[in-house]
Amino acid sequence: MNSTTVRTLLVRGMLAGLTAGLLALVVAYFLGESRVDAAIAFEEAHAHHHGGGAEPVSRTMQSTAGLSTGVLVYGVAFGGIAALAYCFALGRIGRFGPRASALLLAMAGLVAVYVVPFLKYPANPPAVGDPDTIGQRTTLYFLMVVLSVLLAVATVILGRRLAPRLGNWNATLVAGAFFVLAVGLAYAFLPSFNEVPEHFPATLLWQFRLAALAVQATLWTAFGLVFGLLAERVLAPRTVAREVAAARPTPVAP
């Protein structure tokens, strides 16, 4: 893949990320913000002291302009990185077309980058979590992300190497079992945190976590669908041209 194609896919990935970010923003606003407000109300009601001046940024600004800026900037950056990963993975994950490859890569990314770390260190609303452990929790979360991505790459490599001997189906099962086992060991050895305050509503906690999961699922799925369509418009004409050239009969000299 030449540099011009990579640059074109990078730009389209950023546009797809922006589109996915807009959809994720809608989900975050309607599913997540009400849970954040409820958690803040709980935190204020159970605070041991009340002091300080006005907030530097109002809650209204946080839930509108702040949320929009954060999600959209994240979406554009996410789209660019995912597009570069797509350029590297295309043709290395099986004989899939541009759209199928984009959606497959997006689903694998959702699982490896978000779902696996989320199951070990789920998102918490305000009032949940000890401020003294935030540095440790953040470090362990990103460590879990890195481990999950590396294990996902290792799983793909293992599946491809086992396929000639075991067949695609059996190789996929063995590689999948390796991934689950390795993730399970990481879950067992990495420390866990249970810092939910007493009397914090369990329903609110799980609603917040499900909303966070819904935002990420929307972002990754929308990106896979939109970017797959855009990438196909760049790559498919070249594929068709090669197929036509290959099918064209070779002229015979008189």
Side-chain angles (χ1 to χ4, degrees):
M1 187 178 295
N2 57 50
S3 60
T4 302
T5 303
V6 172
R7 184 167 58 251
T8 302
L9 290 175
L10 174 62
V11 173
R12 296 194 177 207
M14 295 171 71
L15 291 175
L18 178 61
T19 303
L22 287 170
L23 295 175
L25 174 61
V26 174
V27 176
Y29 184 80
F30 286 104
L31 291 185
E33 285 305 306
S34 61
R35 276 75 186 185
V36 173
D37 290 336
I40 291 175
F42 175 91
E43 185 177 36
E44 292 176 348
H46 293 78
H48 296 293
H49 59 85
H50 301 274
E55 295 180 346
V57 181
S58 67
R59 175 64 190 139
T60 301
M61 183 65 70
Q62 293 174 11
S63 62
T64 53
L67 177 66
S68 301
T69 302
V71 173
L72 295 181
V73 170
Y74 175 82
V76 172
F78 153 79
I81 295 172
L84 294 177
Y86 176 84
C87 293
F88 176 80
L90 188 64
R92 293 182 171 91
I93 56 176
R95 302 182 63 181
F96 299 101
R99 295 178 72 174
S101 296
L103 188 57
L104 181 62
L105 185 64
M107 294 300 98
L110 173 63
V111 172
V113 177
Y114 189 77
V115 174
V116 170
F118 173 86
L119 293 177
K120 177 64 177 178
Y121 301 113
N124 287 325
V128 175
D130 185 353
D132 294 335
T133 64
I134 187 171
Q136 184 182 8
R137 286 185 283 119
T138 302
T139 300
L140 288 171
Y141 176 80
F142 282 109
L143 175 60
M144 192 68 237
V145 172
V146 173
L147 285 175
S148 179
V149 172
L150 292 177
L151 288 174
V153 174
T155 298
V156 174
I157 295 174
L158 178 63
R160 289 177 62 86
R161 292 189 175 181
L162 292 177
R165 287 184 292 174
L166 303 180
N168 291 333
W169 178 254
N170 290 331
T172 301
L173 291 178
V174 172
F178 161 78
F179 181 77
V180 172
L181 177 61
V183 168
L185 291 174
Y187 282 2
F189 284 101
L190 289 176
S192 300
F193 298 90
N194 184 14
E195 301 175 345
V196 180
E198 188 178 3
H199 305 307
F200 189 88
T203 301
L204 175 60
L205 178 63
W206 284 105
Q207 286 177 344
F208 177 87
R209 289 175 174 175
L210 289 176
L213 183 59
V215 171
Q216 291 293 325
T218 301
L219 181 71
W220 286 89
T221 304
F223 173 80
L225 293 173
V226 175
F227 180 69
L229 178 62
L230 297 178
E232 186 178 51
R233 294 181 178 180
V234 176
L235 300 173
R238 304 184 182 191
T239 303
V240 172
R242 286 196 297 267
E243 291 177 352
V244 171
R248 186 177 301 163
T250 304
V252 179

